[in-house]
Amino acid sequence: MSITTTPEPPAVMRIQTIAVLGAGIMGRGIAYAAALGGFGTRLQDSSADALERGLGEIRGIFEKGVAAGKVAGDVAAASVQRLTTTRSLEDAARGADLVIEAVPESMDLKVEIFGALDRLAPPHAILASNTSSLSITEMAAATNRPAQVVGMHFFNPVHRMKLLEIVRALETREATIAAARLVGEAMGKTCVVVRESPGFVTSRINAMIGNEAFYMLQEGVASAADIDQALKLGLNHPMGPFELVDLVGLDTRLSILKFLHRTLGEKFRPCPLLEQYVAAGRLGRKTGRGVYDYPKE
């Protein structure tokens, strides 16, 4: 009986084409960084409106960068030329060396996508997830290439945040980690490698701090503004916990906390006040109202 195996990729694969799945806040940010880093970049989303908005946002970031003197005009123009969009998952994956999914934080959805990518992407391609907390190993199990599956956790806003968490799943090979690091560095990121664990490093600590801040607000210890000010001036945090959760999204933070509560125990039980805010539709900047209000311009 013959056994079919996936061909071994090079020791450290040279990435030339990157497909980014999902044209939301994170997806378009990753696509911007990929194009600026010199990679042929395909941004995929099933929604034509999302792709149009995403492309407009990316062009806007480049225009602001040029105006501020942070990006040379010819570099910005060449980067935009490297970027294409498609609604087809098959077209996005075809010929890609690296696929980064940035779809909503649903394990069922991600497993479905990884299974499809395993069929559609070239055998040598690396498959990556931008998840902030979910199991990369579980996603890898939906493929026949678990050694080529890795976490690449970017931070919002991607064009400003320097950190990239590279997450090693159970079977991720060293060459995959090395390739992800090279891509991150080409994008201008500082990379840290972490072993898969619920919440990785940053999401786990951020969830704990943000949840405790909500408990303090619920108990009337201090106002949201004063809690934010205390952490910025007293602990040298660049943003307060409520400013940050409004940026990330209260629904996203609640989802992470629920996952951490299931996997790591009672210390991550979501604060009831956070659950109330989400139930009321106060999800942060994206809805115009979270802990703070954001009047429309």
Side-chain angles (χ1 to χ4, degrees), residues 6-249:
T6 300
E8 283 283 320
V12 179
M13 189 172 66
R14 183 164 177 256
I15 305 294
Q16 294 180 296
T17 302
I18 297 177
V20 181
L21 311 184
I25 292 173
M26 295 306 297
R28 60 187 180 239
I30 296 168
Y32 164 87
L36 182 61
F39 303 99
T41 306
R42 301 171 189 156
L43 180 60
Q44 184 275 336
D45 199 290
S46 59
S47 166
D49 288 343
L51 286 173
E52 185 177 352
R53 288 195 304 272
L55 193 56
E57 287 281 346
I58 292 169
R59 286 173 174 158
I61 294 171
F62 276 119
E63 288 169 4
K64 290 177 182 177
V66 171
K70 295 180 179 179
V71 182
D74 59 340
V75 171
S79 299
V80 172
Q81 286 296 312
R82 283 191 285 269
L83 179 63
T84 59
T85 62
T86 178
R87 295 179 63 186
S88 166
L89 184 63
E90 182 176 1
D91 288 347
R94 184 185 297 117
D97 302 309
L98 170 64
V99 183
I100 306 173
E101 67 80 10
V103 303
E105 290 284 79
S106 162
M107 180 57 81
D108 289 343
L109 177 58
K110 291 180 187 290
V111 165
E112 179 183 347
I113 286 175
F114 271 79
L117 289 175
D118 194 44
R119 298 188 301 272
L120 298 172
H124 72 271
I126 291 171
L127 308 181
S129 174
N130 178 57
T131 181
S132 58
S133 62
L134 300 179
S135 170
I136 307 299
T137 298
E138 188 172 344
M139 298 176 210
T143 77
N144 291 308
R145 61 179 93 189
Q148 294 161 235
V149 176
V150 66
M152 295 181 71
H153 179 208
F154 293 83
F155 293 81
N156 184 31
V158 178
H159 66 285
R160 292 179 183 168
M161 300 293 282
K162 298 292 289 184
L163 182 64
L164 172 62
E165 271 187 322
I166 299 173
V167 184
R168 184 195 309 276
L170 179 64
E171 298 181 69
T172 308
R173 66 161 60 100
E174 285 300 325
T176 302
I177 298 292
R181 183 189 288 276
L182 288 174
V183 168
E185 290 171 349
M187 291 179 175
K189 306 302 180 187
T190 299
C191 304
V192 297
V193 179
V194 302
R195 180 177 59 82
E196 180 182 304
S197 178
F200 314 140
V201 173
T202 53
S203 293
R204 185 167 169 177
I205 292 175
N206 256 338
M208 178 68 77
I209 293 172
N211 202 39
E212 186 62 26
F214 264 102
Y215 274 113
M216 294 172 70
L217 184 63
Q218 178 177 278
E219 294 163 10
V221 173
S223 69
D226 282 349
I227 292 171
D228 276 347
Q229 193 80 310
L231 266 70
K232 287 190 289 185
L233 300 183
L235 300 181
N236 204 29
H237 288 200
M239 296 181 71
F242 296 118
E243 293 172 330
L244 181 58
V245 77
D246 274 0
L247 179 63
V248 170

